[in-house]
Amino acid sequence: MSWQILVAISVVTYSVSVLLQRLLLKNNKVDSVAFSIVFQLFTGVLILIYALIRGFSTPNLVPLLPNLALMILLYGAGNVFIFKALKAVEASEFTIIFATRALWTIFTAILFLGESFSSRQLLGTGLILSSVALVSWQKSLKLNKGTLISLLAALAFGLGFANDAFIIRNFDVPSYLAIAFILPALAVWSVTPGSTSKIKSMLNKDFLKKLSLLGVLYATSAITIFLAYQVGRNAAQIAPLNQAATIVTVVLAIIFLKEKAQLARKIIGAILSFVGVVLVG
């Protein structure tokens, strides 16, 4: 299978998964923390099965323990922030704001890896921030709670991606992805034992069917984008194309979730975000 098809599969499955998350979390009875635990565990197990089929393997983990601990912290908190945000804001708005994670990855690379920051990246940064302002601010320059939580999710995942870049150098990708889903979920569960009763209340037949679909979609998206890198070995082309998920998600949310409030601003914001991420990448 070509890398172009793999990227397309990743973009579509990710976009649909965001819509499904929003649908599941619109129910006020669904607890964000409990949902993040179940979602990560279920998706992690699916990826683990794939990794075991391929041949699960890990390098010497001792030198990586600080990075693994940071990964658990960032993705544990980040997933909780994502699901809290999706309860508070529309999927289209969240997706545009979440694109700011690219900025945190760039800033981390500049501060800790000594990378340079070009004028093109500066322009991209401005476009991404403009897209957030466009979809978030109303008559006053005051960000609402949902926007702030979305930004926290972007911060956690942006820093997490930079941390992943170091870990993944000597790590089998599917094996690492399985660990990166399962360990943060277990960590969140261990510090929120009260979530157990809330998890039990969610495990009905209808919810499990939707969760199964969500897990398959998200796992497919994660695996196919890394397979695209392995097949194409052209990250410079793949990374910008993968950001098309921003526009695809916004369009699908408008069509299927009827998120038509501030329609023009969302479309313009999605385009600005997409172009901005391509420039900073």
Side-chain angles (χ1 to χ4, degrees):
M1 190 177 293
S2 69
W3 66 265
Q4 293 95 334
I5 294 176
L6 288 167
V7 171
I9 293 172
S10 180
V11 167
V12 172
T13 51
Y14 172 79
S15 299
V16 176
S17 75
V18 172
L19 268 62
L20 188 53
Q21 289 172 46
R22 171 62 178 167
L23 281 173
L24 288 170
L25 289 161
K26 284 176 72 174
N27 183 351
N28 290 328
K29 295 181 180 179
V30 177
D31 180 74
S32 301
V33 176
F35 184 87
S36 74
I37 294 170
V38 174
F39 166 74
Q40 288 180 88
L41 283 176
F42 187 85
T43 307
V45 168
L46 289 177
I47 297 175
L48 178 60
I49 293 171
Y50 175 77
L52 289 171
I53 293 172
R54 277 175 50 105
F56 185 90
S57 63
T58 63
N60 179 13
L61 297 179
V62 175
L64 297 174
L65 286 178
N67 298 90
L68 291 171
L70 183 60
M71 176 271 288
I72 292 171
L73 174 64
L74 291 173
Y75 288 142
N79 275 287
V80 172
F81 289 142
I82 282 176
F83 299 126
K84 283 186 175 294
L86 283 169
K87 284 184 74 74
V89 299
E90 294 181 338
S92 49
E93 181 179 341
F94 166 80
T95 301
I96 295 169
I97 298 170
F98 192 58
T100 60
R101 66 192 184 278
L103 302 183
W104 296 110
T105 301
I106 293 293
F107 293 156
T108 303
I110 293 170
L111 290 174
F112 297 105
L113 301 179
E115 295 187 8
S116 60
F117 193 67
S118 66
S119 56
R120 188 186 80 164
Q121 289 172 315
L122 181 62
L123 175 59
T125 299
L127 290 175
I128 294 172
L129 294 176
S130 297
S131 72
V132 174
L134 188 64
V135 301
S136 304
W137 289 345
Q138 306 298 324
K139 294 181 180 180
S140 62
L141 301 180
K142 184 178 179 180
L143 299 176
N144 60 43
K145 180 180 177 181
T147 300
L148 290 173
I149 297 174
S150 300
L151 288 170
L152 286 173
L155 170 62
F157 271 76
L159 297 178
F161 184 79
N163 187 52
D164 287 344
F166 178 81
I167 297 175
I168 212 71
R169 291 174 183 173
N170 300 300
F171 220 120
D172 173 64
V173 170
S175 301
Y176 175 67
L177 283 175
I179 293 171
F181 273 93
I182 293 172
L183 289 188
L186 294 177
V188 172
W189 200 349
S190 68
V191 298
T192 58
S195 298
T196 302
S197 60
K198 297 174 182 176
I199 290 173
K200 290 179 180 178
S201 67
M202 291 193 307
L203 301 182
N204 56 72
K205 186 177 180 180
D206 181 59
F207 181 84
L208 287 175
K209 285 169 59 178
K210 293 176 181 176
L211 179 66
S212 298
L213 177 59
L214 174 59
V216 170
L217 288 170
Y218 206 90
T220 300
S221 176
I223 291 170
T224 50
I225 194 60
F226 281 107
L227 286 178
Y229 284 117
Q230 289 182 338
V231 173
R233 298 189 180 278
N234 50 347
Q237 288 178 280
I238 291 172
L241 287 174
N242 193 42
Q243 296 307 320
T246 303
I247 295 177
V248 174
T249 303
V250 170
V251 172
L252 291 179
I254 292 169
I255 296 172
F256 294 106
L257 299 185
K258 310 301 181 184
E259 296 182 358
K260 296 182 179 179
Q262 301 174 355
L263 184 58
R265 286 169 59 177
K266 287 178 183 175
I267 294 173
I268 296 171
I271 295 171
L272 288 175
S273 176
F274 169 69
V275 174
V277 172
V278 171
L279 289 174
V280 302

